[in-house]
Amino acid sequence: MQAIHFGGGNIGRGFIGEVLNQNDFDIAFVDVNVAIIDALNEKKGYTIELAEEGKPEVLVNRVCGINNGEDPEAVVSAFEKVDIVTTAIGPKILPYIAPLIAQGIQKRKAAGIFEPLDIIACENMINGSSFLKEEVQKHLESGDESYLEQYIGFPNAAVDRIVPLQHHNDILRVTVEPYKEWVIDQSQSKNKALRLEGVHYAEDLEPFIERKLFTVNTGHATTAYNGRYAGYQLIDEALRDESVLAEVKEVLSETGALMIEKWKFLPEEHQKYIDKILSRFSNPYISDELTRVGRTPIRKLGYNERFIRPMREAYERDLVVDGLIRTVAKIMAYRDENDEESQELARLLKEKGTKEVICQVTELTDQELIGQIAAAYHHLDSQSYLPQ
Ligand SMILES: NC(=O)c1ccc[n+]([C@@H]2O[C@H](COP(=O)([O-])OP(=O)(O)OC[C@H]3O[C@@H](n4cnc5c(N)ncnc54)[C@H](O)[C@@H]3O)[C@@H](O)[C@H]2O)c1
Ligand SMILES: O=P(O)(O)OC[C@@H](O)[C@@H](O)[C@H](O)[C@H](O)CO
């Protein structure tokens, strides 16, 4: 069987590639990184190293690369023979690959392929595949719509495995944490005959993706912004500081209270989930930079993202959100000269009032919440802090 995977980066090679390969797929990785694509085509395989005692290895083979910048036609052609399409490319990049996916769908239709195909966005975002579908639809003709609705599924998914930034002599080698979880919404799948081993198919993804995003990713990002504010570089290092750890625990107890009330997770089970996540963050075999986890702060301040969504939903239910508010204030102050969004945030705060910027980036409308975030921001010892 054949897979196309968009994004030959860390999670693409370090998780999606592993699962697809173990399910007997040949994988065409689509990426604009020339060095990665050339290496995939030359070596046709790569090694995943597990970040644990003994550093066991997993080999992934039967892979190739297609450079969508140089050879978009090859990507479109590959859609004729493909059995599954996945992405792990970053939420902001999905609109850029949507035209190619639309052409690939049109190619299948023109070739008279009436086999169902699932296209699964494995990004850290709620309803990532639904968002991709909307982007793809912008590039289809009205005559393609019924083909799309009948044969092409965009099941939403949640993907959990920590894969830090890393550099090896072998550019394809990738070190990953042992933990992994991939959940797909089966109610949105069109190719029901294809079920990947190692993937959990859920009837309703929402509780899973919210629990993952608002625990793993909210906790991770809280560590990053509070850790940077306290002057640290790495996730495990920041969590060894009691004050950072206390802030992370407080934020996770706030999002946890929401998850327990909204989705009826059992408090004891949810606490175990939190404890497991904190131990994953502290894995001594992984060195995860705070700048990776804090990357693209404007995206992370989005209305449906890891801070603002749980904050507004908890607030509506009269649950405590003080820790979330304090960390959002620190995101506003976060600076990384290599991160365009952090530069943009600094520019906005220079040009506009604090409350105006909060409204713009978070899309919050509740003046009380906006006022509390602004007050927390003005109470910070330093309203900008840089990675050293
Ligand atoms: N790393 C993790 O721990 C992790 C875990 C779960 C989910 N995710 C999610 O997976 C996605 C990818 O994250 P990552 O850490 O693997 O990032 P990454 O930067 O390692 O990989 C992204 C890849 O996309 C490629 N790319 C960028 N623009 C492109 C374009 N226009 N066309 C083709 N390729 C393009 C890049 O060259 C890169 O190889 C993100 O949505 C992230 O939130 C990451
Ligand atoms: O990829 P982002 O920028 O949405 O979030 C950064 C990290 O929190 C994230 O990549 C985690 O490592 C991952 O989501 C763990 O499953």
Side-chain angles (χ1 to χ4, degrees):
M1 288 186 294
Q2 291 283 340
I4 299 175
H5 174 80
F6 287 86
N10 286 335
I11 202 76
R13 297 198 316 285
F15 187 13
I16 312 301
E18 178 191 4
V19 174
L20 291 174
N21 203 228
Q22 286 174 348
N23 280 274
D24 214 22
F25 279 91
D26 290 3
I27 311 165
F29 282 95
V30 178
D31 205 296
V32 286
N33 184 317
V34 176
I36 286 193
I37 293 302
D38 288 352
L40 285 165
N41 284 328
E42 187 194 325
K43 299 190 173 157
K44 308 208 175 332
Y46 63 87
T47 303
I48 297 175
E49 178 184 306
L50 297 186
E52 64 182 357
E53 177 83 40
K55 301 184 179 176
E57 293 181 349
V58 180
L59 298 181
V60 176
N61 50 34
R62 292 162 44 204
V63 300
C64 69
I66 307 176
N67 186 326
N68 52 313
E70 288 174 0
D71 196 0
E73 295 81 14
V75 182
V76 176
S77 295
F79 270 75
E80 278 199 71
K81 294 204 192 89
V82 79
D83 301 286
I84 192 168
V85 178
T86 50
T87 80
I89 204 162
K92 290 197 313 184
I93 310 294
L94 292 176
Y96 297 101
I97 57 163
L100 273 184
I101 295 179
Q103 287 170 46
I105 291 168
Q106 287 170 327
K107 184 99 181 168
R108 284 174 79 85
K109 182 183 164 212
I113 299 170
F114 302 114
E115 302 292 330
L117 174 70
D118 284 332
I119 301 179
I120 307 165
C122 304
E123 316 288 347
N124 279 338
M125 76 187 283
I126 289 178
N127 295 335
S129 304
S130 304
F131 171 72
L132 178 59
K133 180 179 179 181
E134 282 168 24
E135 291 299 316
V136 167
Q137 281 174 308
K138 291 179 187 169
H139 303 278
L140 291 173
E141 310 291 328
S142 55
D144 300 327
E145 199 57 36
S146 66
Y147 180 86
L148 181 86
E149 289 310 328
Q150 203 170 346
Y151 298 109
I152 312 294
F154 285 84
N156 288 312
V159 176
D160 191 5
R161 176 174 248 183
I162 296 171
V163 190
L165 288 181
Q166 47 197 281
H167 303 285
H168 304 280
N169 290 335
D170 171 359
I171 189 178
L172 297 179
R173 188 179 183 88
V174 57
T175 300
V176 305
E177 68 164 335
Y179 182 93
K180 52 185 173 181
E181 184 182 66
W182 184 359
V183 188
I184 296 179
D185 189 326
Q186 70 174 354
S187 69
Q188 299 165 321
S189 153
K190 286 278 183 341
N191 188 2
K192 301 219 187 269
L194 175 61
R195 287 295 170 258
L196 298 170
E197 234 174 80
V199 170
H200 176 67
Y201 288 86
E203 259 320 306
D204 179 11
L205 184 77
E206 235 185 318
F208 287 96
I209 182 92
E210 288 206 0
R211 184 179 63 161
K212 191 266 168 172
L213 206 61
F214 303 153
T215 317
V216 180
N217 296 107
T218 308
H220 221 186
T222 300
T223 309
Y225 298 115
N226 285 280
R228 278 303 323 145
Y229 194 75
Y232 299 106
Q233 310 284 343
L234 300 172
I235 289 284
D236 61 333
E237 179 192 29
L239 283 176
R240 284 196 290 275
D241 181 321
E242 286 299 328
S243 66
V244 175
L245 180 63
E247 205 65 359
V248 176
K249 285 184 172 172
E250 185 166 338
V251 164
L252 290 184
S253 79
E254 292 175 3
T255 59
L258 174 68
M259 293 300 96
I260 288 163
E261 184 162 323
K262 184 174 177 184
W263 297 114
K264 310 293 173 229
F265 288 118
L266 296 173
E268 272 178 28
E269 290 303 312
H270 193 72
Q271 190 55 51
K272 279 189 201 154
Y273 183 68
I274 291 176
D275 294 343
K276 171 75 188 167
I277 285 161
L278 291 175
S279 77
R280 288 169 57 200
F281 291 169
S282 303
N283 182 341
Y285 296 93
I286 275 184
S287 167
D288 204 0
E289 287 168 32
L290 298 181
T291 48
R292 178 190 83 83
V293 180
R295 66 188 169 190
T296 55
I298 294 181
R299 167 170 67 94
K300 291 191 165 101
L301 284 172
Y303 191 70
N304 276 319
E305 261 286 342
R306 60 206 74 184
F307 290 99
I308 302 303
R309 177 145 162 178
M311 177 194 289
R312 30 186 198 85
E313 293 193 356
Y315 189 73
E316 277 164 17
R317 289 171 166 82
D318 282 330
L319 297 169
V320 178
V321 292
D322 298 349
L324 282 160
I325 287 174
R326 284 197 300 274
T327 294
V328 166
K330 291 201 180 97
I331 307 180
M332 307 264 300
Y334 175 76
R335 303 287 174 266
D336 175 356
E337 60 184 17
N338 297 314
D339 186 298
E340 273 178 32
E341 287 195 10
S342 105
Q343 299 300 309
E344 171 69 5
L345 204 47
R347 251 193 318 277
L348 288 173
L349 284 161
K350 215 169 163 189
E351 289 164 6
K352 301 179 180 185
T354 311
K355 288 187 183 176
E356 200 185 339
V357 176
I358 296 169
C359 286
Q360 182 178 330
V361 299
T362 65
E363 294 177 69
L364 280 169
T365 50
D366 186 294
Q367 292 306 316
E368 174 62 30
L369 264 184
I370 293 167
Q372 286 190 40
I373 297 170
Y377 173 70
H378 289 296
H379 274 101
L380 291 175
D381 293 335
S382 166
Q383 278 153 20
S384 72
Y385 56 103
L386 284 162
Q388 283 123 27

